[in-house]
Amino acid sequence: MNRRSFLVLSGLVGGGLVGGAALAGCQQPGPAGSASAGGAPAGDASADIPGVTDLADPARLRTAEAVTSSFENSSTTLPYASAQDIGDGRGITAGRAGFTSGTHDLLLVVRRYEESAGGEQTPLTGYVPALTAIDAAVTAGGDGGDTTGLEGFPAAWRQASQTDPRLNRAQDDVYRRLYFEPAMAQARRIGMTSALGQLVLLDSAVQHGTGTDPDGLVTMIDETTEAHGGTEQPDRSGWLAEFLEVRRAHLLDPADAETAEVWRRSVPRVDTLETLLEEERFDLATPLDWTFAGQAFHFAG
């Protein structure tokens, strides 16, 4: 699976507890996470727009996360307490970034939470063996949709999220380490400096993973650059427009057959991002209004 490919390449599948070196990079996004290197951005009009800022700005990051949350949860509020099997072949999907039992990142969150509890029993302690067994089975080629031993997990997750802030902090830590920071590293690599451009990369990272597998973020970036003749200095906004079309093609015909049906239904998220690009909302300034799959959203910041 796409997310799992990145985790395997990062050496995070099959490892021990999440902590220390494994999540040493987990910290609040700041100037170091901004995509300011590389001069003029790739297909990014922000260089021509005074005052545009990027996702190093917490307000812009909240807006970007609200847009992605509308795609995944039909709400601009991050669903820390949500947990369910959505039938996409990835088992239980839970939390702010849709961590799943079939792609290892849910196990990482639970382990991070358990570590923060310092040996204290939590509502999720009893599910660690089942999550670990599922993870090992998937590593060996098993079914990522298997939820054996996770009966009652969604209710336990909701209880922990609503009563113990350590679980939500664990979600933030893993999200930054696995998705935000790698997406911003790719933004720096191609010189993408606008908040909208970085949102496009971040949203792609959350859905596709940040690995080099056939549907991953890096692959889509490289395909887009190749379509522009190998240059990273294409016409104004052209790179972003091309990237979104490349992403649309991967959603319509993904390499992973297990995700095919769900991904095809998610094509409207590309439509929404294309509309924001056409409207030149490069700075993601609020209030921001958008439509996704026929539903209107408003975010005031």
Side-chain angles (χ1 to χ4, degrees):
M1 293 183 180
N2 303 100
R3 285 185 172 187
R4 188 175 188 84
S5 297
F6 167 64
L7 295 167
V8 170
L9 290 171
S10 300
L12 294 174
V13 168
L17 290 177
V18 179
L23 282 177
C26 287
Q27 47 189 288
Q28 291 292 340
S34 65
S36 58
D44 188 342
S46 63
D48 302 320
I49 303 175
V52 165
T53 188
D54 60 16
L55 297 190
D57 173 27
R60 263 60 180 192
L61 179 57
R62 284 194 297 271
T63 303
E65 291 177 337
V67 173
T68 291
S69 182
S70 75
F71 296 159
E72 299 212 331
N73 313 296
S74 298
S75 170
T76 59
T77 301
L78 296 177
Y80 286 93
S82 174
Q84 60 183 314
D85 184 347
I86 63 174
D88 66 348
R90 295 179 174 186
I92 300 293
T93 295
R96 58 159 296 165
F99 306 108
T100 69
S101 56
T103 58
H104 191 69
D105 53 3
L106 182 57
L107 176 59
L108 288 179
V109 173
V110 173
R111 282 177 167 168
R112 179 68 165 169
Y113 173 45
E114 294 298 307
E115 183 183 68
S116 72
E120 172 190 333
Q121 288 285 110
T122 78
L124 302 182
T125 301
Y127 292 100
V128 173
L131 287 167
T132 302
I134 290 169
D135 187 70
V138 174
T139 300
D143 178 15
D146 182 18
T147 58
T148 301
L150 298 182
E151 297 80 10
F153 179 89
W157 175 277
R158 285 191 291 272
Q159 176 192 347
S161 177
Q162 292 165 355
T163 62
D164 188 347
R166 292 175 298 191
L167 176 56
N168 294 349
R169 287 198 295 268
Q171 294 185 53
D172 289 340
D173 286 347
V174 175
Y175 165 79
R176 285 192 294 270
R177 171 70 171 86
L178 297 186
Y179 304 113
F180 178 78
E181 291 174 0
M184 295 306 99
Q186 291 302 316
R188 288 193 297 274
R189 178 170 76 91
I190 63 175
M192 183 64 68
T193 60
S194 74
L196 176 59
Q198 292 178 10
L199 161 60
V200 169
L201 298 183
L202 179 58
D203 183 67
S204 301
V206 168
Q207 183 175 28
H208 296 252
T210 57
T212 57
D213 61 277
D215 292 314
L217 176 62
V218 174
T219 297
M220 293 190 295
I221 287 174
D222 291 345
E223 287 179 9
T224 303
T225 299
E226 183 178 356
H228 278 269
T231 179
E232 293 187 354
Q233 299 293 330
D235 59 285
R236 176 185 174 99
S237 303
W239 192 96
L240 266 180
E242 179 68 29
F243 177 86
L244 287 169
E245 286 307 304
V246 167
R247 184 179 177 191
R248 182 191 301 276
H250 280 268
L251 290 175
L252 289 172
D253 188 21
D256 186 346
E258 287 186 271
T259 65
E261 183 178 351
V262 172
W263 275 22
R264 287 167 189 155
R265 293 201 303 266
S266 73
V267 167
R269 69 199 292 166
V270 173
D271 298 334
T272 297
L273 294 170
E274 286 181 333
T275 298
L276 292 175
L277 178 59
E278 291 166 1
E279 294 174 350
E280 299 189 344
R281 298 305 302 267
F282 293 101
D283 62 357
L284 294 182
T286 53
L288 186 70
D289 295 280
W290 67 95
T291 300
F292 170 63
Q295 183 175 356
F297 293 91
H298 174 82
F299 188 73

